Coordinates of all heavy atoms in Angstrom, one line a residue:
L414 N 7.0 3.4 -20.3 CA 7.4 3.4 -18.9 C 9.0 3.3 -18.8 O 9.6 3.9 -17.9 CB 6.8 2.3 -18.2 CG 5.4 2.4 -17.7 CD1 4.9 1.1 -17.1 CD2 5.2 3.5 -16.7
H415 N 9.6 2.7 -19.8 CA 11.0 2.3 -19.6 C 12.0 3.0 -20.6 O 13.2 2.9 -20.5 CB 11.2 0.8 -19.7 CG 10.6 0.1 -18.5 ND1 11.2 -0.1 -17.3 CD2 9.3 -0.5 -18.4 CE1 10.4 -0.8 -16.5 NE2 9.3 -1.0 -17.1
W416 N 11.4 3.7 -21.6 CA 12.3 4.3 -22.6 C 11.9 5.8 -22.7 O 10.7 6.1 -23.0 CB 12.0 3.6 -24.0 CG 13.0 4.0 -25.0 CD1 14.3 4.3 -24.9 CD2 12.8 4.0 -26.4 NE1 14.9 4.6 -26.1 CE2 14.0 4.4 -27.1 CE3 11.6 3.7 -27.2 CZ2 14.1 4.5 -28.5 CZ3 11.7 3.8 -28.6 CH2 12.9 4.2 -29.2
R417 N 12.9 6.6 -22.5 CA 12.6 8.1 -22.5 C 12.1 8.6 -23.9 O 11.3 9.5 -23.9 CB 13.9 8.8 -22.2 CG 13.9 10.3 -22.2 CD 13.0 10.9 -21.1 NE 12.8 12.3 -21.2 CZ 11.9 13.0 -22.0 NH1 11.1 12.3 -22.7 NH2 11.9 14.3 -22.0
R418 N 12.6 8.0 -24.9 CA 12.1 8.4 -26.2 C 10.6 8.0 -26.4 O 10.1 7.2 -25.7 CB 12.9 7.9 -27.4 CG 14.4 8.3 -27.3 CD 15.1 8.0 -28.6 NE 14.7 8.9 -29.7 CZ 15.2 10.0 -30.0 NH1 16.2 10.5 -29.2 NH2 14.7 10.8 -31.0
G419 N 10.0 8.6 -27.4 CA 8.6 8.2 -27.6 C 7.7 9.5 -27.6 O 7.9 10.4 -26.7
N420 N 6.8 9.7 -28.5 CA 6.0 10.9 -28.5 C 4.6 10.5 -29.0 O 4.3 9.3 -29.3 CB 6.7 11.9 -29.5 CG 7.1 11.3 -30.8 OD1 6.3 10.5 -31.4 ND2 8.2 11.7 -31.3
A421 N 3.8 11.5 -29.2 CA 2.4 11.3 -29.6 C 2.3 10.6 -31.0 O 1.5 9.6 -31.2 CB 1.6 12.6 -29.7
A422 N 3.2 11.0 -31.9 CA 3.1 10.3 -33.2 C 3.5 8.9 -33.1 O 2.9 8.0 -33.8 CB 4.1 11.1 -34.2
A423 N 4.4 8.5 -32.3 CA 4.8 7.1 -32.1 C 3.6 6.3 -31.5 O 3.4 5.2 -32.0 CB 6.0 7.0 -31.2
A424 N 3.0 6.9 -30.5 CA 1.9 6.2 -29.9 C 0.7 5.9 -30.8 O 0.2 4.8 -30.9 CB 1.4 6.9 -28.7
L425 N 0.4 7.0 -31.6 CA -0.7 6.9 -32.5 C -0.4 5.9 -33.7 O -1.2 5.2 -34.2 CB -1.1 8.3 -33.1 CG -1.7 9.2 -32.1 CD1 -1.8 10.6 -32.6 CD2 -3.1 8.7 -31.6
T426 N 0.9 5.9 -34.1 CA 1.3 5.0 -35.1 C 1.2 3.5 -34.6 O 0.7 2.6 -35.3 CB 2.8 5.2 -35.5 OG1 2.9 6.5 -36.0 CG2 3.3 4.2 -36.5
A427 N 1.6 3.3 -33.4 CA 1.4 1.9 -32.8 C 0.0 1.5 -32.8 O -0.4 0.4 -33.2 CB 2.0 1.9 -31.4
F428 N -0.9 2.4 -32.4 CA -2.3 2.1 -32.4 C -2.8 1.7 -33.8 O -3.4 0.7 -34.0 CB -3.2 3.3 -31.9 CG -3.0 3.5 -30.4 CD1 -3.6 4.6 -29.8 CD2 -2.4 2.6 -29.6 CE1 -3.5 4.9 -28.5 CE2 -2.2 2.9 -28.2 CZ -2.8 4.0 -27.7
G429 N -2.6 2.6 -34.7 CA -3.1 2.5 -36.1 C -2.5 1.3 -36.8 O -3.3 0.5 -37.4
V430 N -1.2 1.1 -36.8 CA -0.6 0.0 -37.5 C -1.0 -1.3 -36.9 O -1.3 -2.3 -37.6 CB 0.9 0.2 -37.5 CG1 1.6 -1.1 -38.0 CG2 1.3 1.4 -38.3
G431 N -1.0 -1.4 -35.6 CA -1.3 -2.6 -34.9 C -2.7 -3.1 -35.2 O -2.9 -4.3 -35.5
I432 N -3.7 -2.2 -35.1 CA -5.1 -2.6 -35.4 C -5.3 -2.9 -36.8 O -6.0 -3.9 -37.1 CB -6.0 -1.4 -35.0 CG1 -6.0 -1.2 -33.4 CG2 -7.4 -1.7 -35.4 CD1 -6.8 0.0 -33.0
A433 N -4.6 -2.2 -37.7 CA -4.8 -2.5 -39.2 C -4.2 -3.9 -39.5 O -4.9 -4.6 -40.2 CB -4.0 -1.4 -40.0
V434 N -3.1 -4.2 -39.0 CA -2.5 -5.5 -39.3 C -3.3 -6.6 -38.6 O -3.5 -7.7 -39.2 CB -1.0 -5.6 -38.8 CG1 -0.5 -7.0 -39.0 CG2 -0.2 -4.6 -39.6
L435 N -3.8 -6.4 -37.4 CA -4.6 -7.4 -36.7 C -5.8 -7.7 -37.5 O -6.1 -8.9 -37.8 CB -5.0 -6.8 -35.3 CG -5.8 -7.8 -34.4 CD1 -4.9 -8.9 -33.9 CD2 -6.4 -7.0 -33.2
L436 N -6.6 -6.7 -37.9 CA -7.8 -6.9 -38.7 C -7.5 -7.5 -40.1 O -8.2 -8.4 -40.6 CB -8.6 -5.6 -38.8 CG -9.1 -5.0 -37.5 CD1 -9.8 -3.7 -37.7 CD2 -10.1 -6.0 -36.8
G437 N -6.5 -6.9 -40.7 CA -6.1 -7.4 -42.1 C -5.7 -8.9 -42.1 O -6.1 -9.6 -43.0
W438 N -5.0 -9.3 -41.1 CA -4.5 -10.7 -41.0 C -5.8 -11.6 -40.8 O -5.9 -12.7 -41.4 CB -3.6 -10.8 -39.8 CG -2.7 -12.1 -39.8 CD1 -3.0 -13.3 -39.3 CD2 -1.5 -12.2 -40.5 NE1 -2.0 -14.2 -39.5 CE2 -1.0 -13.5 -40.3 CE3 -0.7 -11.3 -41.2 CZ2 0.2 -14.0 -40.8 CZ3 0.6 -11.7 -41.7 CH2 1.0 -13.1 -41.5
L439 N -6.7 -11.2 -40.0 CA -7.9 -11.9 -39.7 C -8.8 -12.0 -41.0 O -9.2 -13.1 -41.4 CB -8.8 -11.3 -38.6 CG -8.3 -11.6 -37.2 CD1 -9.1 -10.7 -36.2 CD2 -8.5 -13.1 -36.9
L440 N -9.0 -10.9 -41.7 CA -9.8 -10.8 -42.9 C -9.2 -11.7 -44.0 O -9.9 -12.2 -44.9 CB -10.0 -9.4 -43.4 CG -10.9 -8.5 -42.4 CD1 -10.9 -7.1 -42.9 CD2 -12.3 -9.1 -42.4
A441 N -7.8 -11.7 -44.0 CA -7.1 -12.5 -45.1 C -7.2 -14.0 -44.8 O -6.7 -14.8 -45.6 CB -5.7 -12.0 -45.2
G442 N -7.7 -14.4 -43.6 CA -7.8 -15.8 -43.2 C -6.5 -16.4 -42.9 O -6.3 -17.7 -43.1
L443 N -5.5 -15.7 -42.4 CA -4.1 -16.2 -42.2 C -4.0 -16.7 -40.7 O -2.9 -17.1 -40.4 CB -3.1 -15.1 -42.5 CG -3.1 -14.6 -43.9 CD1 -2.1 -13.5 -44.1 CD2 -2.7 -15.8 -44.9
G444 N -5.0 -16.5 -39.9 CA -4.9 -16.9 -38.5 C -4.7 -18.3 -38.3 O -4.2 -18.7 -37.2
D445 N -5.0 -19.2 -39.2 CA -4.8 -20.6 -39.1 C -3.4 -21.0 -39.3 O -3.0 -22.1 -39.0 CB -5.7 -21.4 -40.1 CG -7.2 -21.3 -39.7 OD1 -7.5 -21.0 -38.5 OD2 -8.0 -21.4 -40.6
I446 N -2.6 -20.1 -39.9 CA -1.2 -20.4 -40.2 C -0.3 -19.8 -39.1 O 0.5 -20.5 -38.5 CB -0.8 -19.7 -41.5 CG1 -1.6 -20.3 -42.7 CG2 0.7 -20.0 -41.8 CD1 -1.4 -19.6 -44.0
V447 N -0.5 -18.5 -38.8 CA 0.2 -17.8 -37.7 C -0.8 -16.9 -37.0 O -1.5 -16.2 -37.7 CB 1.4 -16.9 -38.2 CG1 2.0 -16.2 -37.0 CG2 2.4 -17.8 -38.9
H448 N -0.9 -17.0 -35.7 CA -1.9 -16.2 -35.0 C -1.7 -14.7 -35.2 O -0.6 -14.3 -35.2 CB -1.9 -16.5 -33.5 CG -3.1 -16.0 -32.8 ND1 -3.2 -14.7 -32.3 CD2 -4.3 -16.5 -32.4 CE1 -4.3 -14.5 -31.7 NE2 -5.0 -15.6 -31.8
E449 N -2.8 -14.0 -35.4 CA -2.7 -12.6 -35.8 C -2.0 -11.7 -34.8 O -1.5 -10.6 -35.2 CB -4.1 -12.1 -36.0 CG -5.1 -12.2 -34.9 CD -5.8 -13.5 -34.8 OE1 -5.5 -14.4 -35.6 OE2 -6.8 -13.6 -34.0
V450 N -1.9 -12.1 -33.5 CA -1.3 -11.3 -32.5 C 0.2 -11.1 -32.8 O 0.8 -10.1 -32.5 CB -1.5 -11.8 -31.1 CG1 -0.6 -13.0 -30.8 CG2 -1.2 -10.7 -30.1
F451 N 0.9 -12.1 -33.4 CA 2.3 -12.0 -33.7 C 2.6 -10.9 -34.7 O 3.4 -10.0 -34.4 CB 2.9 -13.4 -34.2 CG 3.0 -14.4 -33.2 CD1 2.3 -15.6 -33.3 CD2 3.8 -14.3 -32.1 CE1 2.4 -16.6 -32.3 CE2 4.0 -15.3 -31.2 CZ 3.2 -16.4 -31.3
P452 N 2.1 -11.0 -36.0 CA 2.4 -9.9 -36.9 C 1.9 -8.5 -36.5 O 2.6 -7.5 -36.7 CB 1.7 -10.4 -38.2 CG 0.6 -11.3 -37.8 CD 1.2 -12.0 -36.5
A453 N 0.8 -8.5 -35.8 CA 0.2 -7.2 -35.4 C 1.1 -6.6 -34.3 O 1.4 -5.4 -34.3 CB -1.2 -7.4 -34.9
L454 N 1.5 -7.4 -33.3 CA 2.3 -6.8 -32.2 C 3.7 -6.4 -32.8 O 4.3 -5.4 -32.4 CB 2.5 -7.9 -31.1 CG 3.3 -7.5 -29.9 CD1 2.7 -6.2 -29.3 CD2 3.3 -8.6 -28.9
F455 N 4.3 -7.2 -33.7 CA 5.6 -6.9 -34.3 C 5.4 -5.5 -35.0 O 6.3 -4.7 -34.9 CB 6.0 -8.0 -35.2 CG 7.3 -7.7 -36.0 CD1 8.5 -7.8 -35.4 CD2 7.2 -7.2 -37.3 CE1 9.7 -7.5 -36.1 CE2 8.4 -7.0 -38.0 CZ 9.6 -7.1 -37.4
A456 N 4.4 -5.4 -35.8 CA 4.2 -4.2 -36.6 C 4.0 -3.0 -35.7 O 4.6 -1.9 -36.0 CB 3.0 -4.3 -37.6
S457 N 3.2 -3.1 -34.7 CA 2.9 -1.9 -33.8 C 4.2 -1.5 -33.0 O 4.5 -0.3 -32.9 CB 1.8 -2.2 -32.8 OG 2.1 -3.2 -31.9
T458 N 5.0 -2.5 -32.6 CA 6.2 -2.2 -31.9 C 7.2 -1.5 -32.8 O 7.9 -0.6 -32.4 CB 6.8 -3.5 -31.2 OG1 5.8 -4.1 -30.4 CG2 8.0 -3.2 -30.4
V459 N 7.4 -2.1 -34.0 CA 8.4 -1.5 -34.9 C 8.0 -0.1 -35.3 O 8.8 0.8 -35.4 CB 8.5 -2.4 -36.2 CG1 9.3 -1.7 -37.3 CG2 9.2 -3.7 -35.8
G460 N 6.7 0.1 -35.5 CA 6.2 1.4 -35.9 C 6.5 2.4 -34.7 O 6.9 3.6 -35.0
Y461 N 6.2 2.0 -33.5 CA 6.5 2.9 -32.3 C 8.0 3.2 -32.3 O 8.3 4.4 -32.1 CB 6.1 2.2 -31.1 CG 6.3 3.0 -29.8 CD1 5.3 3.8 -29.3 CD2 7.5 2.9 -29.1 CE1 5.5 4.6 -28.2 CE2 7.7 3.7 -28.0 CZ 6.7 4.5 -27.5 OH 6.9 5.2 -26.4
V462 N 8.8 2.2 -32.4 CA 10.3 2.5 -32.3 C 10.8 3.4 -33.4 O 11.6 4.3 -33.1 CB 11.0 1.1 -32.2 CG1 12.6 1.4 -32.3 CG2 10.7 0.3 -31.0
V463 N 10.4 3.1 -34.6 CA 10.9 3.9 -35.8 C 10.5 5.3 -35.6 O 11.3 6.2 -35.8 CB 10.4 3.3 -37.1 CG1 10.7 4.2 -38.3 CG2 11.0 1.9 -37.3
V464 N 9.2 5.6 -35.4 CA 8.7 7.0 -35.2 C 9.4 7.7 -34.0 O 9.7 8.8 -34.1 CB 7.2 7.0 -35.2 CG1 6.7 8.4 -34.9 CG2 6.6 6.4 -36.4
S465 N 9.6 6.9 -33.0 CA 10.2 7.5 -31.8 C 11.7 7.9 -32.1 O 12.1 9.0 -31.6 CB 10.2 6.5 -30.6 OG 8.9 6.2 -30.2
L466 N 12.4 7.1 -32.8 CA 13.8 7.4 -33.1 C 13.9 8.6 -34.1 O 14.9 9.4 -34.0 CB 14.5 6.2 -33.7 CG 14.7 5.0 -32.8 CD1 15.3 3.8 -33.5 CD2 15.7 5.4 -31.7
R467 N 12.9 8.8 -35.0 CA 13.0 9.9 -35.9 C 12.4 11.2 -35.4 O 12.7 12.2 -35.9 CB 12.1 9.5 -37.2 CG 12.7 8.3 -37.9 CD 11.9 8.0 -39.2 NE 12.0 9.1 -40.1 CZ 11.4 9.1 -41.3 NH1 10.7 8.1 -41.7 NH2 11.5 10.2 -42.1
G468 N 11.7 11.1 -34.3 CA 11.1 12.3 -33.7 C 11.7 12.7 -32.4 O 12.6 12.0 -31.9
R469 N 11.3 13.8 -31.9 CA 11.8 14.3 -30.6 C 11.0 13.7 -29.4 O 9.8 13.6 -29.5 CB 11.8 15.8 -30.5 CG 12.6 16.5 -31.6 CD 12.5 18.0 -31.5 NE 12.9 18.4 -30.2 CZ 12.8 19.7 -29.7 NH1 12.2 20.6 -30.5 NH2 13.2 20.0 -28.5
P470 N 11.6 13.4 -28.3 CA 10.9 12.9 -27.1 C 10.0 14.0 -26.5 O 10.3 15.2 -26.8 CB 12.0 12.4 -26.2 CG 13.2 13.2 -26.6 CD 13.1 13.4 -28.1
V471 N 9.1 13.7 -25.7 CA 8.2 14.7 -25.1 C 9.1 15.5 -24.1 O 9.9 15.0 -23.3 CB 7.1 14.0 -24.3 CG1 6.3 15.0 -23.5 CG2 6.2 13.2 -25.3
T472 N 8.9 16.8 -24.2 CA 9.8 17.7 -23.4 C 9.0 18.3 -22.2 O 9.6 19.1 -21.5 CB 10.3 18.9 -24.3 OG1 9.1 19.6 -24.8 CG2 11.2 18.4 -25.4

Side-chain angles (χ1 to χ4, degrees):
L414 284 171
H415 293 274
W416 191 31
R417 175 69 183 86
R418 300 194 69 90
N420 49 39
L425 293 171
T426 298
F428 289 172
V430 171
I432 293 173
V434 174
L435 183 70
L436 295 177
W438 201 267
L439 281 170
L440 292 174
L443 300 174
D445 293 334
I446 302 173
V447 175
H448 192 276
E449 58 273 10
V450 75
F451 287 118
L454 182 56
F455 176 78
S457 65
T458 303
V459 169
Y461 180 91
V462 171
V463 170
V464 175
S465 296
L466 290 173
R467 296 183 64 180
R469 297 180 59 188
V471 175
T472 57

